[in-house]
Every structure is written in C-alpha cells, then in structure tokens.
Amino acid sequence: MAKFRSETLGEPGPGEVLVAAKFGAISRGTEALVAAGAVPESEWSRMRAPFQAGEFPFPVKYGYATVGQIVGGDDARFGEWVFCLYPHQDRFVLPGEAAVRLSSDVPPERTVLAANMETALNVVWDAGILPGDDVAIIGGGVVGLLVAFIAARIPATRTTVVDVNRDRAEVAHALGLDFTTPAELPHDCDVVVHASASEAGLASAIEAAGLEARIVEASWYGQRAPNVPLGGAFHSRRLSIVGSQVGSLPAGRAVRWSHRRRLEAAMRLLADERLDRLVTGETGFGELDSRYIDILADPATLCHRIRYD
C-alpha cells in the first residue's frame, strides 16, 4: 500500500537548490516490481533510485522523473525549470548539479519522459543500430516505443513495433512507426530489442532475429527467472543476446560521455509533440496514495503523469 509521509526540509546549503515539483511520471514497469517487493536482494544496491529514502523491499520512497522550478538556494537559478531524477515528492533539496535545466524547445509536462528516453537512448547504443537495418522492437511500452522512435530516425532503417495489444498500434502509428502483432512477426531482422518483460516476448525476439543478429534484452524481470528458448535455430543462426541497463554507459561511449551528457541528449530528443501520445493519464499528487497501486496494475498505462498543483 502506498501512503504519504511528511519530510522536514532543511535550508539549501552551499551548492544546493530547493525545487518545487510541477510534474512527475510513474515508471510503471520498474515501480510495479518495487511496489510488489520483487527486487532481488542481490540487486538492492544497484536498484536504488537517486535520492531514494528507505531500504528495499517496499515501502521505500522511489521514483526518478520529476520536473519543477528552483525556488530557493542559488539566486542565479531562481525560477529555472529543471528535470531531476528524484522520487515522488512535492518539494525537495538536492545538489544543484542534479537539477538539469530543461531544453527550451521541450515543454515541462513532456519532459517527464526524460528518464525513459535516456534508457531508450542507451538501448539504441547497446543495439548498435545502423542505417538501413531492419529492426524489430518486441513490446510497445514506453521504453519500447521510445527505442523504436529513435531507431526509425536512423536513415533507411525499417523499424517495426510488435505487441500483443492491438491498441498500441494507434500510438505507434502516431509516432510514425510500423506495428504488428506476434502473429505477423517480422523475420530476418538485423537487430531485435526485447522490451515486453515476458517469456513469450523473448521467444518472439529470438524468432525475429536473422543470421548472426543481435538481440538486446531491455526488460528487467526482478525475481522472476524466465525460460529462454535456446533450442531450434538459436545456435545455427549464431544469435547474440546482450543486456542493456541504463545504470552503465556502453563501453564504447564511457570514455567520452557522462551520465549528465546522456540525459541532456535524451531531453533534446523529446522535442517532438507526437511524444505527447505516450502520456495516457494524469493524477494530482494529492490523490496519488489512493491511486498509485491501481495505476501500476493497469496494463493500458504507458506514461502516467503526476501533476503537482
């Protein structure tokens, strides 16, 4: 059960800012696993959200997508709109460098997608998608759709979103993406990204991959141990399955890129009004304690936005 807890804030110290939250987003996949207490003990340290309060398992103060305005601390930044990897909270103090200034061409209410877009960007890097590739994205959730959105902008790629939920076709088409169901799965793909967090989806990803293709596993299963179908033509097609996790930069990028630079790039990628279609609901922060679990349980949820009045 989710509930509100009060927190006493101190005055911002040197280098710190006070932020008043205006918008936030629920990351349904990860937060559902956290709320269910399904984070394996071996991952408690790695799965800590920035500025998390409390220790796993649930309840903890969790979340990592908040947009707000600086209202205290650094006078030179007063009134500045910022994105913060901060849990669901109406006001908070954090280091100034953790409050990232918003891109001028992206509205604040859309910038709640920044953390998901950063994950998608990392997946695309891990996938090594190149111009002209045939790409299948298995799973039309927020991350899967954002991966497809980026991949489709790489010249001459043919990118298809695959999902069992036909309602996702409308969103995919609004983003300029092809859509199909597993019954009409594309084959011989150069790159396949699996983002459905299901055994059936992983099987479809393996089936869709062509000779010596790369499959990127972007799902996180928590304590579940999915069956991986490594029989059939898996070995004869010499397939590769690689994991992608936003906590680490790909080796080929780590020398030049910081987490901050990657987040800023992700925020620039949000400058497309079509991405507003990923927001499928909105709840006032004052109602969140009573609605939170139901939002996580609703399979129709893509990005659910929190509004701080």
Side-chain angles (χ1 to χ4, degrees):
M1 178 179 178
K3 67 178 182 178
F4 289 119
R5 293 188 179 181
S6 297
E7 184 172 312
T8 301
L9 299 181
E11 291 296 319
E16 294 183 326
V17 293
L18 171 64
V19 175
K22 301 298 183 183
F23 301 99
I26 294 171
S27 184
R28 179 176 173 262
T30 302
E31 292 189 43
L33 287 169
V34 170
V39 178
E41 187 171 354
S42 64
E43 301 303 303
W44 284 3
S45 176
R46 282 186 285 262
M47 282 301 297
R48 285 190 66 87
F51 309 105
Q52 174 182 317
E55 302 296 331
F56 291 123
F58 197 75
V60 292
K61 183 174 76 175
Y62 205 79
Y64 41 80
T66 300
V67 173
Q69 283 185 291
I70 294 176
V71 295
D74 186 346
D75 290 342
R77 300 184 68 185
F78 187 87
E80 183 179 308
W81 282 89
V82 292
F83 176 83
C84 310
L85 293 167
Y86 206 90
H88 310 307
Q89 187 167 322
D90 56 357
R91 288 193 169 221
F92 49 88
V93 174
L94 79 170
E97 64 267 19
V100 183
R101 186 172 185 170
L102 266 56
S103 299
S104 60
D105 54 351
V106 180
E109 55 269 32
R110 189 188 307 147
T111 307
V112 298
L113 291 165
N116 292 129
M117 181 64 91
E118 185 180 16
T119 298
L121 177 58
N122 213 62
V123 170
V124 171
W125 285 345
D126 283 324
I129 300 169
L130 296 174
D133 278 347
D134 285 346
V135 182
I137 312 297
I138 313 297
V142 174
V143 170
L145 288 166
L146 288 174
V147 170
F149 175 77
I150 299 173
R153 297 169 75 173
I154 298 172
T157 58
R158 293 189 294 189
T159 303
T160 304
V161 175
V162 182
D163 200 284
V164 296
N165 183 354
R166 292 182 180 275
D167 291 341
R168 295 290 160 85
E170 183 178 353
V171 181
H173 292 155
L175 295 177
L177 306 170
D178 291 334
F179 177 90
T180 190
T181 65
E184 298 177 338
L185 189 71
H187 291 86
D188 295 322
C189 294
D190 300 291
V191 181
V192 182
V193 175
H194 178 232
S196 80
S198 70
E199 289 185 359
L202 181 53
S204 291
I206 291 172
E207 184 180 347
L211 182 66
E212 297 201 354
R214 169 173 287 200
I215 301 164
V216 178
E217 178 55 272
S219 305
W220 190 60
Y221 298 86
Q223 294 178 333
R224 288 183 294 144
N227 291 316
V228 183
L230 300 182
F234 179 85
H235 291 283
S236 63
R237 278 187 280 149
R238 298 176 55 84
L239 302 180
S240 299
I241 301 177
V242 300
S244 182
Q245 213 286 329
V246 72
S248 299
L249 291 156
R253 299 272 171 170
V255 173
R256 299 180 308 281
W257 285 74
S258 64
H259 288 79
R260 172 65 173 259
R261 182 184 175 192
R262 183 183 62 186
L263 177 57
E264 290 173 341
M267 292 167 67
R268 293 195 299 273
L269 285 168
L270 294 173
D272 191 318
E273 64 182 11
R274 294 177 297 173
L275 293 171
D276 292 333
R277 297 294 297 270
L278 295 178
V279 179
T280 55
E282 187 175 88
T283 298
F285 181 62
E287 308 170 72
L288 196 59
D289 60 336
S290 61
R291 295 204 56 205
Y292 184 69
I293 299 301
D294 288 340
I295 292 167
L296 296 180
D298 185 355
T301 298
L302 284 172
C303 173
H304 193 94
R305 189 162 53 209
I306 303 166
R307 184 184 66 256
Y308 294 85
D309 295 323

